[in-house]
Amino acid sequence: LRKKGKTEAEAQSERKSVEWKVAIAAEMKQSTQITNGWLAQRLNMGSGVAVSQYVGQWRRRMADGKT
């Protein structure tokens, strides 16, 4: 969160699929063995399944050159 200039309060109050949360989740999934469930809880993103869906959609948009 610090790296993105965000706080835990912001993670709790902003939309579950807000771009910065999904970017953090994608980066952490790629560089660690962290679970979707843990990310969902810590970033207030709903369920682990939701995290997986948000990250998959985000990765496809990045691959297509869309932000």
Side-chain angles (χ1 to χ4, degrees):
L1 290 172
R2 255 182 275 130
K3 195 174 182 182
K4 294 285 185 189
K6 301 294 182 180
T7 65
E8 287 192 40
E10 288 173 301
Q12 295 303 312
S13 66
E14 292 199 33
R15 260 182 24 253
K16 293 177 181 178
S17 62
V18 71
E19 183 82 15
W20 66 265
K21 287 185 185 184
V22 179
I24 288 173
E27 183 178 326
M28 291 187 75
K29 283 174 59 89
Q30 185 172 339
S31 62
T32 68
Q33 293 184 12
I34 208 150
T35 66
N36 288 335
W38 188 91
L39 288 166
Q41 183 177 14
R42 293 295 301 205
L43 296 175
N44 191 38
M45 295 179 75
S47 68
V49 171
V51 171
S52 182
Q53 290 173 345
Y54 298 146
V55 170
Q57 292 166 358
W58 183 85
R59 285 182 176 156
R60 285 189 291 280
R61 281 196 315 272
M62 293 299 111
D64 292 342
K66 301 175 186 172
T67 58

